[in-house]
Amino acid sequence: MSDGTGSVLPPLPVFGPGEKVCGNCKLWAAHSVDHRGWVGVCRLQSERGLFPPSAPVCNKFLPRGVATQAAVAETARRQRAVRNVAPVVRRREHSPDEVVDLEGLELNMTRAELMELIREAVGEGGDAPLANKWEGGTLRLVPGKADLQGRDIPIDTFFHKIVMVRDKLRVMEQKLNSHPKLSDAEKVEMQGHITRIYGSLTSFNLLFRDKDDQFVGAKSED
């Protein structure tokens, strides 16, 4: 492994799956090497600065290989156990375009829009998991000029932004399809533009673990 200047960096330390250290947490991201060896940052607690992966875990620990949504669900379960003051959504078969009815209170938003609002409130861009091989990885941006400094971006941070774009496009589709003032021809035209946007984003499909979460552009007709 090289740091981009020709120097060979030591390999990242490997810990056993049962070791409770930050290096086994998906929130820890490798940053650089100093006198302590590899150091990195916590994506959730940036105020901690740089620290080695051998640091003991905190109560935010998310083991690598475990779906993030499972941890989010566990956090939500604990919050509900303390006190639940939220309205109850009736569970039945729904269309994504259906206007939400919370205990008789009709809201001027579709189910898709409500889910997007909930994801934004909890700080999640979506429930699409990152492909396992990219977990803990880094995206390196290298300038064309040697005298300019590059930048490293944690892959899962970049992936989160991609998923946010995907979810925003899906909500836009729902709004277009249910818009009362657009003609069918206008809806088809706008949908064509969105489909082409999806096609431009298919290059990022290699980041998704599940094929169903990937971008799908226009399909050729045989």
Side-chain angles (χ1 to χ4, degrees), residues 9 15-16 63 119 130 143 146 157 201 222:
L9 299 176
F15 303 96
R119 282 195 291 266
L130 177 67
T157 298
L201 295 171
D222 298 329

Side-chain angles (χ1 to χ4, degrees), residues 45-154:
Q45 304 176 81
S46 58
E47 68 277 4
R48 293 182 61 182
L50 296 174
F51 56 93
S54 58
V57 300
C58 65
N59 60 354
K60 307 295 185 182
F61 179 69
L62 291 177
R64 297 185 187 277
V66 177
T68 302
Q69 59 264 35
V72 173
E74 175 63 17
T75 300
R77 185 192 66 76
R78 292 176 182 175
Q79 291 174 342
R80 290 196 300 269
V82 175
R83 187 183 181 193
N84 185 3
V85 297
V88 178
V89 179
R90 300 181 187 277
R91 292 189 60 83
R92 61 179 185 273
E93 294 299 324
H94 294 284
S95 164
D97 299 329
E98 180 182 351
V99 174
V100 178
D101 185 351
L102 299 180
E103 293 295 329
L105 178 62
E106 186 175 282
L107 303 179
N108 188 26
M109 66 174 64
T110 65
R111 288 181 62 79
E113 292 169 335
L114 176 60
M115 292 306 299
E116 175 68 10
L117 183 63
I118 292 173
R119 282 195 291 266
E120 289 184 355
V122 300
E124 291 292 320
D127 56 0
L130 177 67
N132 293 335
K133 68 178 180 179
W134 301 117
E135 287 190 358
T138 301
L139 178 67
R140 174 159 294 178
L141 303 179
V142 181
K145 296 182 179 179
D147 58 336
L148 297 178
Q149 184 176 3
R151 181 182 179 188
D152 290 347
I153 302 174

